[in-house]
């Protein structure tokens, strides 16, 4: 209501807004005295809030008798300058009642009118709680000696809710006194509220107030006493105060009390000290790490990550090495987070005297901290006799080493004494190489080191070079296939499959066809099938040729099953034909049936005949019940939609700037106006043959507010009238042989057969052209051709190649 009145004030005040205050005041008073509507009088009060003087007081006071305007008048009187408004409010106090009297009390409190204290004190005993509460709050705002005395007197005999709102008023008064610089007076009020018979919340607020008022030294003593004392309320207030309490000395003293604080409060105090971000508490946190219980130790470790320095390195590394679970995680995280002092130098120094487990933790911390300055030390550690430390150092080098360390990493790789070290060295060398701006320098160095190296080292070098790639790598791997050493051959095979890409596929196939060792042949063919699986972006014919070749090399059922799994990913009739040849192989018949079902169900609609033939065979004779049932379900779905038109060619999308779908409906784009220059492309089929009948255009439209066109040709054995059942999302136009048969400029979701239309088919081939508008969200269309009486038709064929 106030907003309406304010808008009215703006609307009606145009010329007078710029007038002098006295003129604005006179105008507002005249409105208040008139029979103007309520909204205008509310607007006049708003004007007086800004322009009113003592002259307005009598008129505003008169409004206190009007319930609809009393609050508007009080809003002005509570802030009006001069004693006249206060006099009027004091005079009105005993003459009004209910909400208006509460409003007068509130206004006197806001004005902090000390003359009202006696009357307000009397109202503390009012039977109406609303009046008593408002009076207490008003006295709290006045906050002089008499007001405080009145509140304390009333509090002494009060209980329950009344004592609660009086306590709130006293807390507000103390806060007011503190804001005015009357600290001693505020402390007296706060101290009076710390008595044991008060609620915990009141005692907490009161003690916090005392802490806020006091000087640093006594305040620190109070905090320490509360932290270690028996009063839970004051303890939690002290913990809350710790977050912003001043001074490093106070921080240290408080932190030193941690071990004397009850266990349930230690965690909160640790967090409060952490939030102070004062490193002076690190020593106290370190003591807790050594002597606290598990949860306290974990909290202290987390705090040390932010507050500690290089002095805590040994402690944190030792804890990380000797504990488990949350403590270990916290210690490790703290080692990573340390940022005060020369942490790296201290870590490196500790490495010289720490036990193996601690060394490992330090090495891992340096890696997580990305301490590239640690690389020289890590290279030395990687050659240590201690396997655990050497592995950790080598794994850290994987993250930290760069081009400048290529030769040292190569030396580690060649000289590694154990398989685990060698594997870690390969990973470090490869990671540095792949980070390098010239990765081929790494692979070249690896290949150059092959000569004279041990078999283990040659395997590692080939693997590393293969993972990095570069000139000469593929040829080196091919040459390794000719070696007599089985380990070299198998390393080369695995590296070709894992890292050489499709270029290695023929090599793996040739090896699988000619290998003398069965184990190596199996490795080669397994790698070959993985590369075939990665041919997703190649043509279906190339993928089919690869599968055929792989199946030709397969000797075991397991290998043929891998081939059938790759075959099932294809969507061409030739793949279906090949899969059917394996149904006679009892060792893979189940997999062959699944492959046939998957291929048939995903063939394009143009290959409906082949799909239906395969599905019927499966429905009749598949050994797998699931395959039989799915084939029958798919055949039923195909029969249900057999008279829908498919496949289609598509053109578009077409757009015009500033036009939405329904406007584009009437725009004749190229397929309508210049058919000879229109570019058409096959509409992609759905993921399942069961949806062949639906032209899903979502992947075609590429956004909102456009049109696309669909085209196909339908063969009719005779001239005949047909019923067309059309569904579209959104609008649709349909032409047959150039004649507009149906138009519906709709915005809607797809429903099959929602529109009906009659059309004439000539004997032979008929061209169907359809325009679909795209508003928002999905886009699709479907056309079903039935006999004029709604029955099924025979002899119709659809083609996009005519």
């Amino acid at each position: 209501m106030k907003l309406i009145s304010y808008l009215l004030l703006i609307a009606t005040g145009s010329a007078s807004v710029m007038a002098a205050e006295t003129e604005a005041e006179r105008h507002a008073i005249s409105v208040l005295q008139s029979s103007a509507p309520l909204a205008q009088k509310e607007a006049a009060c708003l004007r007086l809030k800004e322009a009113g003087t003592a002259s307005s007081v009598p008129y505003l006071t008169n409004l206190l008798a009007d319930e609809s305007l009393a609050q508007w008048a009080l809003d002005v009187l509570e802030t009006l300058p001069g004693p006249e408004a206060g006099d009027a409010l004091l005079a009105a106090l005993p003459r009004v009642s209910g909400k208006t009297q509460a409003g007068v009390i509130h206004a006197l409190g806001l004005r902090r009118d000390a003359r009202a204290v006696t009357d307000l004190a009397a109202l503390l005993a009012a039977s109406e709680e609303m009046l008593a509460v408002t009076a207490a709050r008003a006295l709290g705002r006045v906050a002089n000696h008499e007001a405080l005395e009145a509140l304390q007197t009333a509090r002494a005999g009060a209980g329950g809710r009344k004592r609660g709102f009086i306590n709130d008023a006293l807390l507000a008064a103390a806060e007011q006194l503190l804001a005015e610089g009357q600290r001693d007076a505020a402390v007296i009020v706060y101290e009076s509220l710390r008595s044991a018979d008060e609620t915990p919340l009141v005692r907490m607020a009161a003690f916090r107030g005392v802490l806020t008022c006091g000087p640093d030294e006594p305040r620190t003593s109070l905090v320490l006493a509360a932290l270690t004392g028996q009063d839970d309320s004051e303890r939690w207030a002290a913990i809350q105060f710790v977050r912003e309490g001043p001074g490093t000395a106070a921080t240290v003293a408080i932190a030193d009390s941690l071990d004397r604080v009850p266990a349930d409060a230690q965690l909160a105090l640790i967090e409060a000290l952490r939030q102070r971000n004062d490193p002076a508490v690190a020593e106290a946190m370190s003591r807790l790490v050594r002597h606290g219980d598990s949860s306290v130790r974990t909290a202290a470790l987390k705090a040390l990550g932010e507050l500690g320095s290089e002095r805590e390195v040994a402690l944190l590394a030792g804890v990380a090495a000797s504990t488990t679970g949350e403590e270990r995680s916290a210690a490790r995280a703290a080692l990573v987070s340390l940022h005060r002092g020369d942490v790296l130098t201290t870590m490196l120094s500790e490495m010289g005297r720490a036990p193996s487990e601690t060394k490992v933790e330090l090495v891992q911390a340096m890696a997580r901290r990305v301490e590239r300055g640690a690389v020289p030390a890590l290279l030395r550690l990687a050659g240590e006799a201690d396997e655990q430390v050497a592995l950790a150092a080598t794994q850290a080098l994987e993250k930290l080493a760069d081009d400048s360390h290529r030769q040292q990493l190569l030396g580690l790789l060649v000289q590694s004494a154990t398989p685990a070290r060698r594997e870690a060295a390969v990973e470090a060398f490869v990671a540095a190489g792949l980070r390098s701006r010239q990765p081929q320098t790494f692979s070249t160095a690896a290949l150059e080191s092959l000569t004279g190296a041990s078999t283990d080292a040659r395997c590692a070098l080939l693997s590393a070079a293969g993972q990095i790639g570069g000139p000469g790598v593929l040829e080196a791997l091919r040459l390794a296939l000719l070696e007599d050493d089985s380990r070299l051959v198998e390393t080369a095979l695995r590296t070709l499959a894992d890292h050489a890409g499709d270029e290695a596929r023929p090599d793996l196939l040739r090896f699988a066809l000619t290998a003398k060792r069965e184990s190596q042949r199996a490795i080669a063919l397994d790698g070959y099938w993985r590369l075939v699986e990665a041919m997703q972006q190649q043509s279906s014919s190339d993928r089919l040729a690869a599968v055929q070749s792989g199946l030709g090399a397969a000797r075991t059922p397991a290998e043929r099953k891998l081939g059938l799994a790759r075959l099932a990913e294809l969507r061409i009739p030739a793949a279906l034909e090949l899969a059917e040849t394996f149904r006679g192989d009892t060792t893979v018949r189940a997999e062959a049936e699944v492959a046939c079902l998957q291929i048939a169900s995903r063939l394009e609609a143009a290959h409906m005949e082949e799909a239906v033939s395969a599905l019927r065979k499966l429905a009749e004779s598949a050994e797998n019940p699931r395959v039989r049932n799915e084939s029958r379900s798919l055949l039923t779905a195909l029969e249900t939609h057999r008279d829908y038109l498919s496949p289609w060619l598509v053109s578009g999308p077409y757009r015009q700037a500033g036009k939405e779908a329904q406007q584009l409906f009437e725009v004749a784009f190229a397929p309508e106006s210049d058919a000879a220059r229109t570019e058409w492309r096959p509409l992609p089929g759905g993921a399942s043959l069961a949806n062949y009948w639906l032209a899903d255009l979502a992947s075609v439209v590429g956004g909102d507010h456009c049109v696309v066109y669909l085209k196909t040709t339908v063969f009719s054995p005779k001239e005949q009238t047909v019923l067309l059942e059309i569904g579209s999302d959104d609008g649709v136009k349909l032409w047959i042989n150039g004649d507009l048969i149906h138009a519906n400029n709709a915005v809607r979701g797809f429903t099959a057969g929602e529109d009906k239309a009659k059309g004439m088919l000539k004997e032979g081939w008929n061209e169907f052209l359809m325009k679909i508008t795209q508003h928002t969200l999905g886009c699709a269309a479907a056309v079903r051709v039935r006999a004029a009486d709604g029955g099924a038709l025979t002899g119709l064929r659809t083609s996009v190649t005519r």
Side-chain angles (χ1 to χ4, degrees):
M1 194 63 180
K2 286 186 178 182
L3 176 60
I4 295 173
S5 299
Y6 182 68
L7 294 174
L8 182 60
L9 172 62
I10 293 173
T12 60
S14 55
S16 60
V17 163
M18 299 302 296
E21 284 189 0
T22 53
E23 182 180 343
E25 183 179 27
R26 284 196 296 273
H27 176 72
I29 290 172
S30 68
V31 172
L32 294 180
Q33 291 179 298
S34 72
S35 58
L38 178 63
Q40 290 186 19
K41 291 187 176 183
E42 291 171 349
C45 288
L46 282 174
R47 190 184 303 278
L48 291 176
K49 184 83 171 173
E50 298 179 0
T53 67
S55 302
S56 304
V57 171
Y59 306 99
L60 292 166
T61 305
N62 289 338
L63 296 181
L64 297 180
D66 185 340
E67 287 188 4
S68 59
L69 288 169
Q71 188 56 54
W72 290 90
L74 287 167
D75 286 347
V76 182
L77 289 169
E78 68 188 21
T79 57
L80 202 63
E84 293 81 3
D87 294 341
L89 289 167
L90 283 168
L93 183 59
R95 298 200 304 269
V96 293
S97 61
K99 290 183 179 180
T100 302
Q101 189 175 33
V104 172
I105 296 168
H106 176 74
L108 287 166
L110 284 179
R111 294 180 68 87
R112 301 191 67 194
D113 196 326
R115 298 173 299 167
V117 168
T118 301
D119 292 332
L120 295 175
L123 286 166
L124 290 175
S127 58
E128 281 188 72
E129 185 179 89
M130 175 182 65
L131 297 179
V133 170
T134 310
R137 290 174 179 168
L139 287 167
R141 291 192 181 97
V142 174
N144 63 8
H145 176 74
E146 291 76 12
L148 295 173
E149 188 175 9
L151 288 169
Q152 293 286 16
T153 300
R155 172 172 167 265
R161 288 168 57 85
K162 184 172 183 179
R163 189 179 183 92
F165 64 70
I166 291 175
N167 283 340
D168 289 343
L170 284 167
L171 288 169
E175 188 173 344
Q176 177 72 39
L177 291 169
L178 185 59
E180 294 172 351
Q182 301 183 57
R183 288 178 174 268
D184 292 342
V187 168
I188 291 172
V189 176
Y190 284 131
E191 288 288 3
S192 71
L193 297 172
R194 290 179 64 192
S195 60
D197 58 343
E198 294 298 350
T199 65
L201 287 177
V202 170
R203 294 203 308 278
M204 282 181 65
F207 185 59
R208 181 173 175 79
V210 170
L211 294 177
T212 304
C213 292
D216 287 352
E217 182 54 40
R219 178 163 49 192
T220 301
S221 299
L222 285 171
V223 170
L224 290 172
L227 290 174
T228 58
Q230 302 301 313
D231 190 319
D232 288 340
S233 299
E234 294 197 350
R235 181 182 303 110
W236 290 110
I239 290 173
Q240 187 180 33
F241 181 77
V242 164
R243 290 182 172 87
E244 63 266 11
T248 295
T251 304
V252 173
I254 292 167
D256 285 342
S257 72
L258 269 166
D259 55 355
R260 304 194 304 276
V261 174
D264 62 338
Q266 277 185 325
L267 294 177
L269 182 55
I270 290 171
E271 175 60 18
L273 288 166
R274 185 194 66 78
Q275 291 181 19
R276 286 176 64 89
N277 197 32
D278 190 335
V281 306
E283 185 176 343
M285 296 297 174
S286 296
R287 288 198 301 272
L288 286 178
V289 169
R290 295 184 180 95
H291 305 298
D293 67 21
S294 177
S295 60
V296 170
R297 289 197 302 271
T298 301
L301 287 166
K302 291 178 180 178
L304 280 176
E306 297 184 31
L307 306 177
S309 67
E310 78 276 11
R311 291 190 297 273
E312 282 69 49
V313 166
L315 171 65
L316 294 172
V319 172
S322 60
T323 60
T324 58
E326 290 188 7
E327 282 187 61
R328 168 173 280 182
S329 298
R332 287 174 170 173
L335 277 171
V336 174
S337 300
L338 286 178
H339 57 279
R340 291 181 168 88
D342 192 346
V343 177
L344 175 58
T345 298
T346 304
M347 284 184 167
L348 294 174
S349 176
E350 286 295 324
M351 293 293 296
R353 52 182 172 268
S356 295
E357 294 79 4
T358 305
K359 283 183 179 180
V360 169
E361 293 295 336
L362 287 167
V363 166
Q364 292 174 346
M366 287 187 279
R368 295 189 191 103
R369 292 170 62 88
V370 195
E371 296 280 11
R372 300 201 183 279
V375 171
L378 292 172
L379 286 166
R380 290 193 299 273
L381 289 170
E384 276 201 2
D386 188 309
E387 181 83 353
Q388 191 179 17
V389 174
L391 276 176
T394 309
Q395 290 163 355
L397 288 169
E398 181 182 347
K399 296 182 178 180
L400 303 177
D402 57 31
D403 286 41
S404 64
H405 309 115
R406 182 179 62 244
Q407 288 306 122
Q408 295 101 313
L409 293 174
L410 191 60
L412 279 179
L413 188 155
V414 172
Q415 298 163 17
S416 294
T418 67
R421 291 195 191 196
R422 192 175 305 110
E423 182 180 350
V426 168
E427 291 174 358
F429 184 83
V430 170
L434 293 176
R435 282 195 297 269
S436 172
R437 293 184 177 181
Q438 295 180 306
Q440 70 275 7
T441 61
F442 278 77
S443 56
T444 299
L447 295 178
E448 290 174 349
S449 300
L450 285 169
T451 303
S454 67
T455 299
D456 288 335
R458 292 180 70 194
C459 289
L461 290 165
L462 281 172
S463 175
Q467 291 181 59
I468 297 171
V473 173
L474 183 58
E475 185 58 31
L477 292 170
R478 286 169 173 163
L479 288 174
L481 295 179
L482 305 177
E483 294 277 356
D484 293 329
D485 192 299
S486 61
R487 286 184 297 168
L488 278 173
V489 172
E490 290 173 10
T491 296
L493 288 171
R494 291 189 173 94
T495 305
L496 284 168
D498 293 339
H499 304 290
D502 194 62
E503 195 174 356
R505 183 165 46 82
D507 298 287
L508 293 171
L509 180 63
R510 280 194 297 272
F511 191 94
L513 289 168
T514 60
K516 296 178 180 179
R517 291 191 179 186
E518 179 60 24
S519 60
Q520 293 178 353
R521 190 196 66 79
I523 293 172
L525 195 56
D526 178 75
Y528 177 82
W529 285 129
R530 285 189 279 123
L531 291 177
V532 171
E533 185 179 12
M535 295 176 66
Q536 300 297 323
Q537 302 305 314
Q538 297 190 37
S539 69
S540 295
S541 58
D542 286 346
R543 293 167 67 190
L544 177 61
V547 172
Q548 284 178 308
S549 298
L551 285 169
R555 297 178 188 173
T556 67
E559 292 169 350
R560 288 192 290 276
K561 289 176 183 179
L562 286 174
L564 287 168
R566 301 288 75 79
L567 190 62
E569 296 167 351
L570 300 175
R571 300 180 62 179
I572 55 176
L576 178 59
E577 183 179 349
L578 179 58
E580 287 185 316
T581 64
F582 284 88
R583 290 189 63 197
D585 183 342
T586 57
T587 63
V588 294
R589 178 168 182 173
E591 288 75 18
E593 290 177 349
V594 170
C596 289
L597 174 61
Q598 289 181 352
I599 299 168
S601 67
R602 297 166 61 241
L603 286 178
E604 299 281 353
H607 304 296
M608 180 76 69
E609 186 175 340
E610 295 97 321
V612 169
S613 174
L615 291 171
R616 284 175 177 163
K617 294 176 186 175
L618 292 171
E620 293 170 1
S621 60
E623 288 187 350
N624 188 325
R626 182 181 67 82
V627 172
R628 287 199 306 273
N629 292 336
E630 288 189 20
S631 299
R632 290 165 183 169
S633 297
L634 195 52
L635 286 168
T636 300
L638 292 174
E639 179 62 25
T640 301
H641 298 99
R642 68 183 180 87
D643 42 12
Y644 278 82
L645 301 185
S646 183
W648 294 91
L649 297 176
V650 64
S651 181
Y654 295 90
R655 291 180 167 85
Q656 277 191 5
K659 291 190 176 182
E660 295 191 352
Q662 289 185 293
Q663 297 168 299
L664 296 173
F665 188 78
E666 301 300 339
V667 178
F669 292 100
E672 297 179 54
S673 60
D674 192 1
R677 301 182 63 182
T678 301
E679 293 185 3
W680 296 95
R681 61 190 185 277
L683 177 67
S688 170
L689 190 66
N691 294 325
Y692 83 94
W693 58 278
L694 178 67
D696 187 348
L697 303 170
S699 63
V700 175
V701 294
D704 301 333
H705 298 294
C706 61
V707 300
V708 294
Y709 290 85
L710 296 172
K711 183 175 76 169
T712 192
T713 55
V714 178
F715 178 84
S716 175
K718 62 181 180 180
E719 181 179 296
Q720 57 185 320
T721 300
V722 294
L723 174 66
L724 303 165
E725 298 178 357
I726 306 162
S728 64
D729 177 357
D730 293 282
V732 58
K733 284 186 179 181
L734 176 64
W735 295 265
I736 299 179
N737 298 322
D739 295 329
L740 182 63
I741 302 300
H742 176 69
N744 184 357
N745 192 4
V747 176
R748 62 185 181 184
F750 178 83
T751 301
E754 189 170 4
D755 296 347
K756 306 288 193 297
K758 292 287 183 69
M760 176 64 69
L761 298 183
K762 65 183 181 182
E763 182 180 349
W765 291 98
N766 299 264
E767 182 177 87
F768 278 60
L769 177 66
M770 188 157 50
K771 179 179 187 177
I772 304 297
T773 61
Q774 158 65 351
H775 190 266
T776 57
L777 301 177
C779 188
V783 179
R784 189 181 196 187
V785 183
R786 306 283 283 176
D789 61 1
L793 283 173
T794 58
L796 295 186
R797 303 198 306 275
T798 306
S799 174
V800 293
T801 59
R802 296 290 302 175

